[in-house]
Amino acid sequence: MDIYVAELDEAGKIAAVWVKQDGALGPGVFDPQKHKFDPKSPRQFAGASRAEIEKWIVAKTQQTSQTL
């Protein structure tokens, strides 16, 4: 099961999301070019609510696709 952990800034907002994918040796900062986020797959969330983390991932994915 993938685990998503929010890293918060001083204001309590998400600055980064770390992801530890099932079978990976360690976690890495979520990168839309390297990681695929499937909202239907089982996963765990920490550091922020599921909704906040998903919102951050969607925004990051859209931001990356606009720069490509």
Side-chain angles (χ1 to χ4, degrees), residues 4 8 10-11 21 28 30 34 36-38 40-41 44 47-48 51-52 56 58 61 67:
Y4 294 84
L8 306 179
E10 300 83 22
Q21 292 182 309
F30 182 84
K34 295 180 186 175
K36 300 297 178 211
F37 181 74
D38 179 4
K40 297 176 186 169
S41 67
Q44 295 178 339
E52 290 174 305
W56 186 92
V58 167
T61 302
T67 60

Side-chain angles (χ1 to χ4, degrees), residues 4-67:
Y4 294 84
V5 180
E7 180 180 336
L8 306 179
D9 64 13
E10 300 83 22
K13 296 186 180 191
I14 297 176
V17 172
W18 291 77
V19 58
K20 165 69 170 69
Q21 292 182 309
D22 196 28
L25 295 176
V29 174
F30 182 84
D31 180 348
Q33 293 179 335
K34 295 180 186 175
H35 303 107
K36 300 297 178 211
F37 181 74
D38 179 4
K40 297 176 186 169
S41 67
R43 59 204 175 280
Q44 295 178 339
F45 297 92
S49 72
R50 174 186 182 137
E52 290 174 305
I53 291 173
E54 287 181 347
K55 181 179 174 182
W56 186 92
I57 288 172
V58 167
K60 185 72 167 179
T61 302
Q62 290 174 345
Q63 178 186 21
T64 300
S65 67
Q66 290 175 357
T67 60

